[in-house]
Amino acid sequence: MVLALSVTGLARKLMQKNPVLLNVPARDLAFAGLILVLFTPSLWMLAWVLFTFGGQMVPGAQTVAIYGVLFATGLVLVQRSDMNVSADPVPEVKMPRLFKRLPPGFDGQIHRLTVRDHNVDVVTSDGTFTVRSRFTDAIAEMEPVSGHCSHRSHWVVDASIVDVEKTGGKTFLRLVNGDRVPVSRKYKPMLEKDGLI
């Protein structure tokens, strides 16, 4: 069993690291052949050692090869679904619902939201877009993007914050696009707690 598992692991690594073998149309056949080439000589050597010390007649290479073919075929049938599984699957990126309210084809970055009357200004890397929405609803539609309210009228994306500026006793967040967003006393403790200022 240890021999079989070792050979199978080695064959799988060789298949995954070699793009030529992965793109062979008869990939399963190539995998079975690789296992057969690695496993049959190893099995014959193991059988030779065990049978010789046991005082019995050593089986011929042809008999061992038949067992190797059966073993390789069984492994391919059992493990065929593992061949295309990536070691690090790429997680699906979930887009914020607010993107649906922006112009078609928008693929920029949202930096902040600012309330204005009954509208919300969505400040992005491609300009500012105004959507009719309650401020709290617009913030909720930004999930799963991480952000914070810095003021009762401003919500900023955490990744867009590049610096903290203090002027005349007031604190501002400087964003990647150059905007300065005020920080009110109400929201400052939460920003400090989360390490943003």
Side-chain angles (χ1 to χ4, degrees):
M1 287 305 292
V2 171
L3 177 66
L5 290 171
S6 300
V7 169
T8 306
L10 179 61
R12 183 179 294 121
K13 283 182 183 176
L14 289 172
M15 287 290 288
Q16 289 174 341
K17 288 183 179 180
N18 192 334
V20 174
L21 290 176
L22 272 177
N23 293 325
V24 170
R27 186 183 69 239
D28 292 340
L29 188 60
F31 186 49
L34 189 57
I35 290 174
L36 188 60
V37 167
L38 294 171
F39 181 67
T40 303
S42 306
L43 181 62
W44 186 81
M45 290 281 290
L46 181 64
W48 184 82
V49 169
L50 293 175
F51 278 76
T52 300
F53 284 117
Q56 298 175 356
M57 194 166 104
V58 178
Q62 184 177 3
T63 305
V64 174
I66 292 170
Y67 285 110
V69 169
L70 292 172
F71 172 76
T73 304
L75 277 176
V76 169
L77 292 174
V78 170
Q79 299 180 9
R80 107 186 302 163
S81 63
D82 290 347
M83 291 303 297
N84 288 328
V85 176
S86 171
D88 298 319
V90 178
E92 184 180 339
V93 178
K94 186 178 176 185
M95 299 299 288
R97 290 191 323 262
L98 191 64
F99 272 54
K100 293 177 184 175
R101 294 174 175 247
L102 301 179
F106 173 80
D107 63 351
Q109 298 292 319
I110 295 177
H111 299 307
R112 66 182 173 92
L113 306 177
T114 300
V115 68
R116 184 168 49 86
D117 298 325
H118 297 290
N119 298 312
V120 174
D121 287 338
V122 183
V123 180
T124 75
S125 54
D126 295 348
T128 301
F129 304 99
T130 301
V131 296
R132 186 161 182 81
S133 173
R134 291 189 309 170
F135 191 47
T136 53
D137 292 341
I139 292 171
E141 289 183 24
M142 280 300 295
E143 288 184 11
V145 175
S146 177
H148 284 78
C149 279
S150 65
H151 186 275
R152 64 187 171 104
S153 303
H154 300 282
W155 182 89
V156 296
V157 174
D158 292 347
S160 294
I161 301 170
V162 294
D163 199 10
V164 178
E165 298 176 357
K166 294 189 178 183
T167 308
K170 294 184 179 179
T171 305
F172 295 88
L173 299 174
R174 188 162 57 83
L175 305 186
V176 69
N177 64 346
D179 288 354
R180 292 174 77 230
V181 182
V183 175
S184 69
R185 283 182 293 190
K186 177 181 177 182
Y187 296 101
K188 190 174 182 180
M190 182 59 72
L191 292 165
E192 287 174 338
K193 179 184 171 190
D194 292 344
L196 295 169
I197 59 173

